[in-house]
Amino acid sequence: MRKLLAYPLTVLYLFVFGVTLLIFHPIQWICFNVFGYQAHKKSVDVLQFCLVRCLHILGTRFTWNNPHNIPKNRPLIIVSNHQSMYDISPIMWFMRQHHIKFVSKKELGKGIPSVSYNLRHGGSVLIDRKNPRQALPAMLNFGAYIEQNNRSAVIFPEGTRSKDGHPKPFKTKGLELLFKKAPSALVVPITVNNSWKMLRYGSFPMGIGNHLKFTVHQPIELSSVVDQKQLIKDIEQTITTAIHIDK
């Protein structure tokens, strides 16, 4: 019965989701090209608010647990597990005051209204995962951008999403490059739970009635860390220990 109900709700959601992306694409273009970065960021913030609200059509609920007072005037490196594309808008919305930018695969940089435009022009970095000669300098430049402009980099070290919620081993290279070029950053681990359930039936229909939970862990001063390889292991353990898999 639940899956049966998911079909019409998914159709409605996809329609509203698509219209939202189409509406905000020219809004982003105008804000970026006419009014500059700050206006563009505000348009992206409103877009993320709308995308989060679109998910309510599917009965999706959100819990954002952040007991920490994270400063807004310094670079952040946000490290999270990755369960689906539905991790992204909540992180962007709930942490909007921190100027969120993503490490993303290059394929997302074209063909998706609003999303691709923001990835190309909003400060994120697009990585060709099959081409280290492109990825290495791109990540170094991205880290320097984060450091110099007090932006927040979001990286999913698993490299790809977990389809069943179980975390994949972290790939460390991207984090190491960010650590190198943003040495004054505050490292913020985040655990995502239940996002994978949005695609529990595959791409269609979508899962309904899910409770997506985000836990922000204790931030870490990168400059105070002596052994960065051990830091990455500790971050991975912190994030994965807080993942709870239930059907």
Side-chain angles (χ1 to χ4, degrees), residues 161-173:
R161 67 183 179 87
S162 168
K163 296 181 180 180
D164 58 5
H166 291 92
K168 301 177 184 297
F170 278 17
K171 299 176 181 178
T172 64
K173 189 62 177 179

Side-chain angles (χ1 to χ4, degrees), residues 14-231:
L14 291 176
F15 173 77
V16 175
F17 174 76
V19 169
T20 301
L21 294 185
L22 289 172
I23 289 173
F24 274 90
H25 191 88
I27 292 174
Q28 279 194 71
W29 189 94
I30 293 170
C31 288
F32 180 79
N33 288 282
V34 177
F35 301 106
Y37 173 82
Q38 291 295 339
H40 179 238
K41 182 192 176 301
K42 289 179 181 178
S43 73
V44 173
D45 289 346
V46 177
L47 169 62
Q48 302 315 315
F49 171 81
C50 293
L51 294 180
V52 168
R53 293 296 176 261
C54 285
L55 287 168
H56 290 327
I57 294 171
L58 299 170
T60 308
R61 295 174 293 144
F62 299 91
T63 294
W64 181 265
N65 180 20
N66 177 20
H68 311 290
N69 185 19
I70 302 174
K72 304 178 182 66
N73 59 346
R74 60 177 301 182
L76 305 181
I77 298 174
I78 299 168
V79 188
S80 175
N81 63 311
H82 191 28
Q83 295 189 347
S84 78
M85 63 176 282
Y86 303 100
D87 306 337
I88 296 172
S89 285
I91 291 175
M92 292 189 71
W93 171 246
F94 288 109
M95 297 200 74
R96 61 193 179 278
Q97 294 178 324
H98 299 280
H99 295 261
I100 298 297
K101 315 300 175 188
F102 280 86
V103 178
S104 181
K105 59 184 181 181
K106 70 167 188 176
E107 290 83 359
L108 297 179
K110 56 184 179 180
I112 309 173
S114 287
V115 173
S116 297
Y117 189 88
N118 182 46
L119 288 174
R120 292 197 313 272
H121 299 283
S124 295
V125 63
L126 296 167
I127 297 297
D128 184 349
R129 293 182 294 184
K130 298 179 181 178
N131 183 2
R133 295 184 64 181
Q134 180 272 340
L136 178 60
M139 283 296 292
L140 290 173
N141 290 336
F142 181 57
Y145 166 77
I146 295 300
E147 176 76 9
Q148 294 164 11
N149 296 279
N150 291 329
R151 306 302 190 220
S152 298
V154 177
I155 184 169
F156 301 118
E158 292 164 283
T160 187
R161 67 183 179 87
S162 168
K163 296 181 180 180
D164 58 5
H166 291 92
K168 301 177 184 297
F170 278 17
K171 299 176 181 178
T172 64
K173 189 62 177 179
L175 274 172
E176 291 171 356
L177 294 173
L178 289 179
F179 289 173
K180 178 179 179 180
K181 299 300 289 186
S184 71
L186 194 65
V187 183
V188 183
I190 294 180
T191 297
V192 179
N193 274 297
N194 298 328
S195 174
W196 68 273
K197 295 179 181 179
M198 301 301 296
L199 299 173
R200 69 193 312 163
Y201 305 125
S203 58
F204 190 90
M206 294 178 61
I208 62 173
N210 296 310
H211 187 182
L212 276 57
K213 300 178 181 180
F214 298 78
T215 302
V216 181
H217 301 284
Q218 180 66 50
I220 304 158
E221 284 284 358
L222 182 58
S223 61
S224 68
V225 174
V226 176
D227 187 344
Q228 292 188 353
K229 291 186 181 296
Q230 184 60 49
L231 171 62

